[in-house]
Amino acid sequence: MTALPMEAEILTRREESPGLFTLHLRLTDSAAQQAYRFRPGQFNMLYLYGVGEVPISIVSDPREARHIGHTIRAVGRVTRGLERLRPGDRLGLRGPFGNGWPLGDCEQRDVIVVTGGLGCAPVTGAVQYLMRRRERFGHVNIVQGVKHADDLLWREQYECWDRMPDTTVLIAADEAGPLWPWHVGRVTDLFDRLRFDPAQAIVLCCGPEGMMLAVAEQLQERGIAAERIWLSLERNMQCGIGLCGHCQLGPKFVCRDGPVFSWREIAPLLRVRGR
Amino acid sequence: MATDCTLVAELRFLAAADRQRLIEALREAGYAVHGPRVQEGVIRYAPVERIEDLPRGWRDIQEPGRYRLRQTDENRLFAWAAPAASLKPLVFPPREILFHARRDADGRLRFEAADGAAPKLAVLGVRACDLAGLYLQDRHFLQGAHPDEAYRRRRRKLFLVAVHCAHPADTCFCAATGDGPVARYGFDLAISELEEGWLLEARSHAGQEILDALPTRAAGETQRKAAEAAFRQAAAAQRRRLPGGDLPARLGGRLDAELWQAVGRRCLACGNCTAVCPSCFCHAHVEETPLTGARTTRLRQWDSCFTAGHSLLHGRPVREDTASRYRQWLTHKLSGWHEQYGRSGCSGCGRCITWCPEGIDITAEAAAIAGEEA
């Protein structure tokens, strides 16, 4: 049986942009709080009392697992309800679920992080992990694409990462005004400016599926092996533990076997429409 | 390939007049007893008290999109094929409480587990196809990193009385999947039914204890031969089969076949096949909140990959048309299960063919799509 949710309290709430907000949560039971650990790229099922549950990736730093950060877009019944919660309010939390990013495999390698839209949220924790242990990795490329320039989240954070040694930050917007300092177009337009050794580089990618397909194909063409291109997928998830069946993609349970998969493993499944 | 229909050496004979004793022995051992009954025009498992509750003399006629019963004056209780429902509802109920949540006056939440009691339950008349289906459910619900406790509680209390099948329907193909007609595993006690009574074999300690409590005698060699002949005939009578060879690989190469569109136009996406399938496990989590709002209930209920909601992501289904949903169902059943759980998800019970309003036949569709004549 699905384990009971744990009660969590909202510590802080920040409005990122209209309809997009970040909650920092703390489990109210101190033993649960002590026991809770997660890896970047994992997710929790958040339960809104009387409404339902949604899978939301964890954006915060795994070193401070007592404060669990979630950036949420208000799009459905549950997330619109979560949007109305304020500090001190309670919700339920089950997790963490899923495998997370292969950050151990990133050591001594050039890293390319490519994200699209809110796809940057599941990778934010991973980028912070890399930056905090900067010396263990090769050149770090951070590429973020948004539809509209106004959609860019955490602008200061990108500017901060851009100042780190041996780090390249590239940002693209499909549509932008005249004051937009970065590229207008797609993230894949920026790939000539990446700095990496294809023989050893590793890719972490998250965003809309069409964008991830294009990114994976183009970086593979640039010589990166398919088993070192990692994508974080989304599917309908209700249990989080590979039982309810909704997240199946071919033989994979995305919630349990993923959500992070290598391109080698997942390309044949992703290339079939409506799979 | 001839199906092995030999029975174990140690067979005991229980005369037809003593069949009631089995129900009594199970009740004395503390089991609630479920068995096949004729209800609402179908044979299905329901509580039984007397042997007269069982479908004596009833025969079924199952064809694509059709299920009918007729009565004969035979003395047999199990002269029919797969009942309308498998064992699935007994271990994985169609609707089940996951937990209750309460919110007190200052907004604190409390979560309470659902009542976990599971009674000892004996089921009479289980076919080999449904034992295989139960094995498949066990693999899914029990053998992962997060075994399902409610399923496990019910499963552990189950006592299964198999019936080796001598009466396959037109829709059956257990001989082709290798799962029947003789049950090979997963039961406590098994019955080979003859007109004059039952040949019984125990497969577990619990089964042996029940068998020892019955007024049996050693079965005769003629009786054994008659039973084995009937099972061989039951295997030979089955006309349907799944395509051979490496079916997962063959289907995997045909995901863009035009035939998916053709079957997608026939399929009503009603979900009958997923409801009657002994291996289908998909379920949705739903919330029930009374108007007072002081306590809510989280449930899971059977879901079907034929619904739009099943693959909903950001407000749109990943599988937008019926063709892609039929493809998901068939390729999961015949291909995905191999990688997930080490064998095909189909045990040849034929229910999806019988209960499809359009009479869509999984064996014919799989053969056509894999590129061979059915």
Side-chain angles (χ1 to χ4, degrees):
Chain A
M1 179 68 62
T2 313
L4 291 181
M6 300 174 278
E7 187 196 45
E9 178 184 7
I10 297 175
L11 294 178
T12 65
R13 180 191 188 282
R14 190 175 65 219
E15 190 90 0
E16 306 285 0
S17 67
L20 189 76
F21 56 100
T22 298
L23 301 179
H24 275 90
L25 310 175
R26 182 177 59 197
L27 299 175
T28 55
D29 180 82
S30 62
Q33 206 182 94
Q34 296 291 336
Y36 189 88
R37 296 280 183 283
F38 69 90
R39 296 187 296 276
Q42 289 192 296
F43 66 95
N44 287 319
M45 297 297 303
L46 298 187
Y47 169 75
L48 177 64
Y49 180 79
V51 183
E53 276 184 316
V54 280
I56 307 281
S57 60
I58 309 168
V59 297
S60 52
D61 190 325
R63 284 206 310 193
E64 287 154 44
R66 288 184 205 186
H67 294 181
I68 307 162
H70 288 289
T71 296
I72 304 166
R73 190 180 292 284
V75 287
R77 233 158 47 89
V78 178
T79 50
R80 279 196 296 266
L82 291 171
E83 188 185 21
R84 289 201 291 269
L85 298 183
R86 292 294 178 269
D89 287 343
R90 310 296 173 100
L91 42 76
L93 184 152
R94 293 190 295 122
F97 298 125
N99 55 0
W101 297 104
L103 291 172
D105 293 349
C106 293
E107 298 201 4
Q108 313 306 324
R109 298 178 187 278
D110 296 334
V111 183
I112 305 171
V113 179
V114 190
T115 55
L118 195 55
C120 60
V123 193
T124 302
V127 174
Q128 278 162 353
Y129 178 99
L130 300 176
M131 290 306 172
R132 197 160 284 129
R133 299 156 184 81
R134 189 64 198 80
E135 70 290 349
R136 297 195 203 166
F137 307 97
H139 194 86
V140 175
N141 301 267
I142 299 165
V143 191
Q144 158 75 359
V146 288
K147 197 171 275 176
H148 303 283
D150 295 344
D151 297 339
L152 183 67
L153 291 182
W154 305 317
R155 189 170 178 147
E156 327 76 68
Q157 188 147 53
Y158 286 104
E159 288 165 350
C160 170
W161 289 336
D162 201 20
R163 289 190 294 271
M164 298 286 286
D166 218 10
T167 303
T168 302
V169 173
L170 302 167
I171 298 174
D174 288 340
E175 296 165 33
L179 293 178
W180 177 251
W182 294 289
H183 179 72
V184 178
R186 293 161 183 261
V187 285
T188 46
D189 302 340
L190 299 166
F191 285 177
D192 281 338
R193 291 160 59 187
L194 297 175
R195 287 177 49 199
F196 65 98
D197 169 9
Q200 45 87 343
I202 187 166
V203 179
L204 313 180
C205 181
C206 189
E209 221 158 279
M211 168 256 183
M212 288 197 287
L213 280 169
V215 166
E217 276 166 1
Q218 294 195 26
L219 289 176
Q220 194 179 8
E221 279 168 24
R222 287 167 189 260
I224 303 179
E227 64 266 26
R228 277 186 277 110
I229 299 174
W230 296 89
L231 315 179
S232 179
L233 302 188
E234 278 187 290
R235 282 293 181 273
N236 186 305
M237 295 176 189
Q238 301 187 18
C239 70
I241 52 177
L243 289 181
C244 79
H246 293 88
C247 68
Q248 289 178 92
L249 174 60
K252 307 295 182 195
F253 291 92
V254 172
C255 75
R256 185 194 73 191
D257 304 329
V260 177
F261 294 94
S262 78
W263 177 236
R264 174 185 291 286
E265 188 177 23
I266 212 73
L269 302 173
L270 276 189
R271 281 182 172 135
V272 179
R273 208 179 126 71
R275 188 70 190 269
Chain B
M1 186 179 66
T3 306
D4 178 14
C5 291
T6 51
L7 293 171
V8 294
E10 182 75 6
L11 287 175
R12 304 291 299 178
F13 176 71
L14 181 74
D18 293 325
R19 293 182 297 199
Q20 168 70 24
R21 299 290 293 275
L22 175 59
I23 295 179
E24 286 164 8
L26 290 167
R27 290 163 70 100
E28 279 160 23
Y31 292 100
V33 182
H34 282 210
R37 297 190 76 154
V38 175
Q39 289 182 341
E40 297 177 334
V42 300
I43 292 172
R44 66 181 183 203
Y45 296 118
V48 293
E49 292 183 4
R50 299 175 311 279
I51 205 73
E52 290 76 30
D53 293 336
L54 272 67
R56 180 168 174 269
W58 285 91
R59 293 279 189 132
D60 60 356
I61 301 156
Q62 299 194 42
E63 293 165 2
R66 187 160 184 271
Y67 181 103
R68 295 289 184 279
L69 293 178
R70 66 185 173 89
Q71 205 164 12
T72 71
D73 57 6
E74 291 170 311
N75 194 25
R76 293 173 193 243
L77 305 179
F78 303 112
W80 34 268
S86 69
L87 293 170
K88 180 167 79 172
L90 299 177
V91 284
F92 169 38
R95 197 169 155 81
E96 164 174 31
I97 293 172
L98 292 169
F99 60 81
H100 302 286
R102 289 178 190 278
R103 183 166 62 188
D104 65 19
D106 58 2
R108 297 206 54 149
L109 302 182
R110 274 186 299 131
F111 299 97
E112 299 157 8
D115 171 27
K120 284 176 78 176
L121 177 66
V123 186
L124 293 182
V126 181
R127 301 306 159 101
C129 54
D130 285 343
L131 291 171
L134 186 63
Y135 168 81
L136 291 165
Q137 293 267 302
D138 287 351
R139 293 280 289 145
H140 179 67
F141 284 105
L142 296 181
Q143 293 175 16
H146 299 272
D148 192 84
E149 283 307 321
Y151 181 99
R152 195 209 311 263
R153 281 196 296 271
R154 289 184 289 262
R155 182 69 180 86
R156 281 184 174 163
K157 297 292 181 68
L158 215 49
F159 182 102
L160 297 170
V161 182
V163 170
H164 302 313
C165 187
H167 296 84
D170 169 69
T171 44
C172 290
F173 53 103
C174 68
T177 62
D179 293 307
V182 174
R184 294 295 177 198
Y185 62 87
F187 57 85
D188 297 284
L189 204 57
I191 297 172
S192 300
E193 187 172 49
L194 301 172
E195 192 69 11
E196 70 267 27
W198 294 341
L199 310 183
L200 297 174
E201 61 188 273
R203 184 57 64 87
S204 67
H205 290 300
Q208 188 64 51
E209 280 177 16
I210 296 294
L211 183 54
D212 290 345
L214 300 176
T216 61
R217 60 174 192 262
E221 202 49 32
T222 318
Q223 291 177 317
R224 165 199 304 282
K225 287 212 160 63
E228 288 176 348
F231 303 142
R232 273 196 301 275
Q233 201 173 6
Q238 296 179 21
R239 295 180 298 112
R240 291 171 207 276
R241 66 176 190 86
L242 287 167
D246 185 352
L247 189 55
R250 293 173 70 189
L251 290 172
R254 302 299 298 271
L255 296 176
D256 293 321
E258 179 56 31
L259 285 163
W260 297 113
Q261 300 301 323
V263 68
R265 283 189 289 273
R266 293 175 62 206
C267 172
L268 306 176
C270 67
N272 269 15
C273 51
T274 58
V276 296
C277 177
S279 72
C280 275
F281 52 69
C282 285
H283 53 274
H285 287 204
V286 295
E287 187 87 357
E288 266 187 9
T289 309
L291 288 174
T292 61
R295 179 185 193 247
T296 77
T297 303
R298 190 108 185 119
L299 303 107
R300 68 177 174 193
Q301 62 190 26
W302 288 1
D303 199 0
S304 170
C305 54
F306 285 91
T307 67
H310 187 278
S311 65
L312 210 61
L313 188 63
H314 308 310
R316 285 176 69 93
V318 172
R319 294 183 277 275
E320 289 192 308
D321 58 6
T322 304
S324 63
R325 295 176 204 159
Y326 187 85
R327 182 182 66 189
Q328 167 64 22
W329 179 73
L330 186 137
T331 56
H332 179 227
K333 196 69 58 194
L334 302 181
S335 169
W337 271 90
H338 284 273
E339 183 174 330
Q340 290 174 344
Y341 298 114
R343 60 154 287 172
S344 160
C346 177
S347 64
C349 74
R351 287 188 181 89
C352 57
I353 307 172
T354 299
W355 294 100
C356 174
E358 280 289 311
I360 296 171
D361 178 346
I362 185 174
T363 64
E365 297 303 326
I369 288 160
E372 75 175 41
E373 294 300 313

